[in-house]
Amino acid sequence: MWTEALGELVGTFILVLLGDGVVAGVSLNKSKAQGAGWIAITLGWGLAVTLGVYSAAFMGPAHLNPAVTLAFAVIGKFPWAWVAPFIIAQILGGFLAGVVVWIQYYPHWAATDDPATTLGVFATGPAIRSYFANFISEFIGTAVLIFGLLAFSRGKWTDGLNPIGVGILITAIGLSLGGTTGYAINPARDLGPRLAHAVLPIANKGDSDWAYSWVPIIGPFLGGIAGALIFVLLP
């Protein structure tokens, strides 16, 4: 179990490092990628997930997402005894990645005087704050994610190509459904770096918006379970 949990830490670290990294590059002042836009962000996240899965798959199942771990356990595809260690490893990987993104873009925090932009590198936030609507967005996006992952497992993918399919799925969700909340669809992707934002001495930062933080946690957990249950009802 511990090798598999280490894989979750490493894979989630790579995922969040590259995912938050593209957000930082697009968002922070004086970055050469500043202003590249939403397409660059969604494509960057899709590639981040693909590379995160490749980085972890030789050690374990490469969930890299507590919503995946919980949903698979609910439908009997993952042992319950491994759920807590996996989730802890995933959140820790996200936290450590947030720290490294802060180091990577160190001079750019002082050049960026908008606290919301800074927080947006580390954690998701809504385009229009409506907790119910934001929850539904995260619920739907994660349901699609889990349904897609399970569908891939029933198809004729080779093991080597499956992570590429997952990356395409993440990109598609981001382009089509992600504009409302920034599509966390992964509690570790949001909570881990949000914790890093809270504790790091980031220049010009504001608060970590803990009032919103339950949305990218509860929404993905429940949406993931729903997507898994819908899938198992199919013939």
Side-chain angles (χ1 to χ4, degrees), residues 4 34 49 52-53 66 75 88 93 97 113 141-142 144 162 172 184 194-195 199 203 206 209-210 217 221 223 230:
E4 290 84 353
Q34 187 177 15
V49 171
V53 173
I75 61 173
I88 292 169
D113 57 6
T142 314
V144 172
N162 193 58
R194 193 185 296 268
L195 287 167
V199 303
D209 196 12
W210 292 108
I217 297 174
F221 273 136
I230 292 169

Side-chain angles (χ1 to χ4, degrees), residues 159-214:
D159 289 340
L161 292 178
N162 193 58
I164 297 173
V166 176
I168 293 171
L169 176 60
I170 294 293
T171 304
I173 292 171
L175 288 172
S176 301
L177 305 175
T180 54
T181 62
Y183 78 121
I185 61 173
N186 181 340
R189 170 267 175 274
D190 190 276
L191 179 59
R194 193 185 296 268
L195 287 167
H197 176 273
V199 303
L200 290 171
I202 304 168
N204 295 323
K205 78 170 182 178
D207 68 66
S208 300
D209 196 12
W210 292 108
Y212 179 79
S213 63
W214 66 273

Side-chain angles (χ1 to χ4, degrees), residues 130-151:
S130 169
Y131 289 119
F132 177 73
N134 305 150
F135 167 82
I136 292 298
S137 291
E138 290 292 336
F139 182 99
I140 293 171
T142 314
V144 172
L145 170 64
I146 302 302
F147 186 93
L149 294 177
L150 289 168

Side-chain angles (χ1 to χ4, degrees), residues 116-132:
T117 298
T118 297
L119 176 60
V121 171
F122 294 88
T124 60
I128 298 174
R129 186 172 295 252
S130 169
Y131 289 119
F132 177 73

Side-chain angles (χ1 to χ4, degrees), residues 3 32 50-51 72 77 88 90 93 100 116 141 143 170 179 212 226:
T3 298
K32 290 182 180 293
T50 293
L51 296 173
F72 281 23
K77 288 186 173 291
I88 292 169
Q90 291 156 357
V100 176
I170 294 293
Y212 179 79

